[in-house]
Amino acid sequence: MRDLFGEPDAGANGIEVAGVDEVGRGPLAGPVVAGAVILDPARRIKGLKDSKELTPHQREELAVAIRDRATAWALGRAEVVEIDRINILRATLVAMRRAVDALAADVRVAYIDGNIAPSIDGCATVTVIGGDAKVPAISAASIIAKVARDAEMVAAAAHFPGYGFECHKGYATAVHLAALRKLGPTPLHRRSFAPVGEAGVQPTLF
């Protein structure tokens, strides 16, 4: 295995190394989605970085390259009902574990963005604060997760018009908050998040 902040050596000494990251912890609506990626050192991908530093077009192009060139990749998710039931932190860890479990490879080590890692059977975890800007496999996981979640929220806009999901992807923008106050929550909204809960409370008449 190579230096933590170099590109992980997928398959070195028979050990598969994955990068794991999530998107969607902060929004008021939609699932939290995690990506897990094992990069192939023989098929390097240029331009990997924190997905937030890339344009939508760059993310789309890189997501195609990642899905094509990675040794393995997978997505995991936690739904809105799970977020409301177990809280967003636990739901994030569930999504990460599901992403690793879905990989078509025997992962032995997973680099996790942040400072808290899920418990994954048979797999050691290493947390890396700011990992999406430091570890290429985590960057790749961040990119595929964001592209997938953004596409889902754009599609949701057709089913729930008036909220602007195609623009803010569920985050608490002024447009989104105004729509919540006017229209109320949809099934995609996280009722355990204060702005949503407050929007769902009907005013008293007396």
Side-chain angles (χ1 to χ4, degrees), residues 65-113:
I66 293 162
R67 292 191 292 263
D68 179 58
R69 300 181 196 173
T71 298
W73 64 272
L75 297 172
R77 57 192 288 131
E79 305 297 344
V80 170
V81 292
E82 294 176 291
I83 294 169
D84 285 341
R85 186 175 72 247
I86 64 176
N87 79 41
I88 185 60
L89 175 58
R90 291 178 180 174
T92 296
L93 298 178
V94 166
M96 287 180 168
R97 185 179 70 247
R98 287 171 177 168
V100 174
D101 287 345
L103 284 169
D106 184 16
V107 181
R108 302 298 299 277
V109 180
Y111 291 136
I112 310 291
D113 183 50

Side-chain angles (χ1 to χ4, degrees), residues 109-147:
V109 180
Y111 291 136
I112 310 291
D113 183 50
N115 60 0
I116 302 177
S119 176
I120 304 171
D121 290 344
C123 179
T125 57
V126 179
T127 58
V128 186
I129 295 174
D132 47 5
K134 298 174 181 177
V135 180
I138 294 179
S139 302
S142 166
I143 290 165
I144 63 167
K146 182 160 180 58
V147 167

Side-chain angles (χ1 to χ4, degrees), residues 10-197:
N13 301 318
I15 299 175
E16 295 287 12
V17 177
V20 183
D21 199 7
E22 54 72 32
V23 296
R25 280 183 68 171
L28 304 179
V32 59
V33 177
V37 176
I38 300 173
L39 292 176
D40 183 347
R43 305 185 73 194
R44 295 187 180 274
I45 303 167
K46 293 183 180 180
L48 293 176
K49 61 173 67 174
D50 180 354
S51 64
K52 295 184 291 294
E53 297 181 5
L54 299 165
T55 66
H57 179 69
Q58 289 172 325
R59 286 194 296 266
E60 291 279 357
E61 287 194 332
L62 282 167
V64 171
I66 293 162
R67 292 191 292 263
D68 179 58
R69 300 181 196 173
T71 298
W73 64 272
L75 297 172
R77 57 192 288 131
E79 305 297 344
V80 170
V81 292
E82 294 176 291
I83 294 169
D84 285 341
R85 186 175 72 247
I86 64 176
N87 79 41
I88 185 60
L89 175 58
R90 291 178 180 174
T92 296
L93 298 178
V94 166
M96 287 180 168
R97 185 179 70 247
R98 287 171 177 168
V100 174
D101 287 345
L103 284 169
D106 184 16
V107 181
R108 302 298 299 277
V109 180
Y111 291 136
I112 310 291
D113 183 50
N115 60 0
I116 302 177
S119 176
I120 304 171
D121 290 344
C123 179
T125 57
V126 179
T127 58
V128 186
I129 295 174
D132 47 5
K134 298 174 181 177
V135 180
I138 294 179
S139 302
S142 166
I143 290 165
I144 63 167
K146 182 160 180 58
V147 167
R149 188 182 186 282
D150 282 0
E152 182 170 338
M153 296 307 292
V154 169
H159 297 283
F160 302 103
Y163 291 87
F165 288 136
E166 71 278 13
C167 298
H168 53 66
K169 312 303 189 295
Y171 283 87
T173 64
V175 168
H176 190 186
L177 292 171
L180 261 177
R181 288 191 293 269
K182 179 181 178 181
L183 304 173
T186 71
L188 288 181
H189 282 97
R190 303 171 181 179
R191 309 256 170 175
S192 56
F193 281 40
V196 178

